[in-house]
Amino acid sequence: MAPLPYARQRTWSVNRFEEIEAALRRQDGVAQAAVAPRENPLGERHLVAYVVPEVPDADVTRHVEKWRAVYDSMYGDTAPAATGIGDDFTGWNSSYTREPIPLPQMRRWRASAVERVRGPGAHRVLEIGVGSGLLLGPLAPEAEAYWGTDFSEPVIERLAAQVATDPRLKDKVTLRCLPADADDGLPAEFFDTVLLNSVVQYFPDAAYLSNVLEVALRRLAPGGRIVLGDIRNHGTLREFLTAVHHAQRPGDEPSAVRAAVARAMLGETELVLDPGFFTEWADAHPGIAAVDIRLKSGPNGNELTRHRYEVVLHKQPSGPTDLTDVPILTWGRDVHRVSGLEAELARHGGRLRLTRIPNARLVSEAAECGVPATAHGTPLDPHALETWGEEHGRAVLCTWSAEAPGWFEAVIVPADGTRCYDGVYRPLDTRTRPLANAPAAARRASKLPAALRRELAAELPGHLMPDDIVVIARMPLTARGEIDHTALA
């Protein structure tokens, strides 16, 4: 990009920015707009427009219908697995290789998800997005009542036929064909557990998810919990897409990789969420007593453990164990080896939080993305740290670090059977970071910059035309709730 003439640089002012922003907001498909100058490494100043796309109701509906058609097709023409309910892993393919994820890894994934739900608080379960019954199979026999909903009629018909032949399930399982944001016929304040496992990524946007969570909260009995599994992390999306590109096209030049990843991020058709979305949502809903956000458990290094996480939202009154005051130590500075944890735990009353731990699961992908390795601390695998805890009578609660996507944090406390924790994840100021993408608007967003450039050319003089138009999911805000132009630049 050629450097801007000095004369043009001097004409920029707050009033000029407001004029450009007003022109952008008048265009179809733009919900918010902001303009900020930016310098490249050569000191050349450029004018960059940032726009948040609108997500029309028609796009939301189209997105849901697209995924419904996928599942209608996947399950409508296939017979149930001969092995029974809970063993059909159809469609679970690796993004890196496009081949089915090995069955032992999928069974370990399923066992981990079941363990997260199972326990004294899972007697009356509602599973939204029940699918082929991967979790219903092992959980329903232990429950008093198990309700499952899904937006695909062939999925429900297929699962209902299987349930009808199982004497352990036919009298306690109720199935309904319903979209995730509907609660028609579902009893209010009845369920102790509402489960959404590996379904949120198919939602059209964060607003739709918020509606679904509100439906779940109304169906939940006092003291119950919402369990969300397999949430894709917005913070590691670039690393993930870069690793996928390298796996599929290993010979591409770095510039080609960066361009392809930028396009893939803009066109991402699944919902990816920063953990801060859930703490922010909980803050806005007084009925939530605790938020527990953790990394996926498991020894296998695949996309399910690297880039996904679990969330448990506890409804009032739950009496959570608050972890916000746990002593904080930094890995690589205060603690250098796992063998030193016992001494530090004794020194800090048996509870501590380790921060800035390089996540061994992500080291190779961060390197592929061009992210430098941290200067402090040996990378640790979260599963290895959890295993250490089991061997030493400690509960190790691993969660994302809000400071950097390649780090994680671990809260270590006595293994006393506590099932309700609050404050495992520590969010930073969520106003300054994107918390979600908008997959329903992905197709529209990918075409938006070119369309805006054509429309602006008819309204603005040449010296006010932005050099770049960047589509973002959310505007960063100041403490006063205004657009933070400094953060944009």
Side-chain angles (χ1 to χ4, degrees), residues 252-443:
D252 278 4
E253 295 293 327
S255 59
V257 175
R258 287 193 296 270
V261 169
R263 290 193 299 272
M265 290 186 69
L266 192 59
E268 176 60 60
T269 58
E270 293 188 4
L271 183 62
V272 290
L273 296 149
D274 186 278
F277 168 85
F278 295 98
T279 57
E280 186 176 279
W281 188 88
D283 288 343
H285 292 78
I288 297 298
V291 183
D292 185 349
I293 300 174
R294 301 193 208 174
L295 305 184
K296 292 287 290 185
S297 294
N300 303 118
N302 57 36
E303 63 194 272
L304 303 180
T305 56
R306 290 173 187 155
H307 299 284
R308 303 194 184 196
Y309 59 100
E310 298 173 332
V311 180
V312 180
L313 303 171
H314 295 269
K315 187 175 180 178
Q316 297 277 13
S318 293
T321 296
D322 188 1
L323 301 174
T324 55
D325 62 346
V326 171
I328 297 174
L329 300 179
T330 301
W331 178 255
R333 186 187 68 189
D334 304 315
V335 183
H336 300 274
R337 294 178 299 276
V338 173
S339 59
L341 287 174
E342 284 285 14
E344 293 297 340
L345 283 164
R347 190 176 295 121
H348 292 90
R351 305 162 78 230
L352 62 82
R353 179 189 293 270
L354 280 181
T355 65
R356 300 190 173 188
I357 310 171
N359 190 338
R361 294 172 176 174
L362 298 176
V363 167
S364 62
E365 296 194 355
E368 288 175 341
C369 195
V371 177
T374 179
H376 302 288
T378 304
L380 289 181
D381 187 316
H383 179 71
L385 199 54
E386 291 169 346
T387 301
W388 175 90
E390 293 171 0
E391 294 170 349
H392 291 79
R394 311 283 185 176
V396 178
L397 318 177
C398 295
T399 189
W400 296 106
S401 169
E403 295 182 83
W407 291 339
F408 73 99
E409 297 187 358
V411 182
I412 307 175
V413 294
D416 57 6
T418 299
R419 295 186 62 85
C420 182
Y421 292 103
D422 187 38
V424 177
Y425 174 76
R426 299 184 307 153
L428 295 176
D429 189 345
T430 57
R431 293 169 302 191
T432 62
R433 59 199 296 169
L435 299 183
N437 65 333
R443 185 175 181 183

